[in-house]
Amino acid sequence: MASISSPSKDHSAQALVQTAAGGTLPRFDGRSVERLKERGFSMDEIYRFVAPRRTLARRVEKGEPLTLAENDSAQRILRISELADKVFGEHEKAQRWLRKANRSLNGVVPIDLLESETGARLVEEAILRIDHGIYI
């Protein structure tokens, strides 16, 4: 029985995700992580949320795409950043909100929750409450 190699397995998963998303989700590579910097995330935050410094450096050097998990992480912080911009109406205001302790999140800084999808959902819910005028 032939084993499935990691790149082939990753490629199959990529194709599945693209199909499920209707081809609408961009696939990040090491260089396209620059988009996150343009959105106001520091390189330290990108290393924390997406991939370690050496891993990203290697991906840039070799022109490799991010793994599915890394891509999901990049998509997660991009999604939350764009939602915050939409709700707050100003990018700078949204970025300040993401970096300030939040009462509705029990004093946790929203950006600190973006390491997981569960945490991102909590942040998303807090932003949506603000959008609906529910301030806690």
Side-chain angles (χ1 to χ4, degrees), residues 41 77 80-81 84 88 93-100 109-112 114 123 127:
F41 293 97
I77 64 174
I80 295 298
S81 177
F88 289 101
K93 190 174 182 180
Q95 288 295 308
R96 279 193 308 273
W97 183 88
L98 286 170
R99 289 168 171 76
K100 184 178 175 188
V109 177
I111 199 169
D112 289 341
L114 299 183
V123 173
I127 294 169

Side-chain angles (χ1 to χ4, degrees), residues 13-99:
Q14 290 172 29
L16 184 61
V17 169
Q18 283 301 100
T19 299
T24 60
L25 290 177
R27 179 73 179 186
F28 285 92
D29 62 22
R31 286 187 181 89
S32 63
V33 168
E34 290 294 317
R35 282 184 50 202
L36 299 174
K37 279 180 54 180
E38 293 167 6
R39 300 265 336 137
F41 293 97
S42 70
M43 286 309 294
D44 285 340
E45 290 167 337
I46 293 168
Y47 298 143
R48 176 180 167 198
F49 298 126
V50 179
R53 179 184 315 262
R54 288 178 50 180
T55 301
L56 277 180
R58 184 179 65 246
R59 299 222 192 290
V60 168
E61 181 183 318
K62 295 182 178 186
E64 297 176 343
L66 298 183
T67 65
L68 283 176
E70 293 163 350
N71 194 67
D72 285 350
S73 296
Q75 292 293 341
R76 178 174 43 248
I77 64 174
L78 182 62
R79 180 186 83 231
I80 295 298
S81 177
E82 288 173 346
L83 177 62
D85 284 0
K86 179 181 166 224
V87 169
F88 289 101
E90 295 176 31
H91 180 70
E92 292 76 22
K93 190 174 182 180
Q95 288 295 308
R96 279 193 308 273
W97 183 88
L98 286 170
R99 289 168 171 76

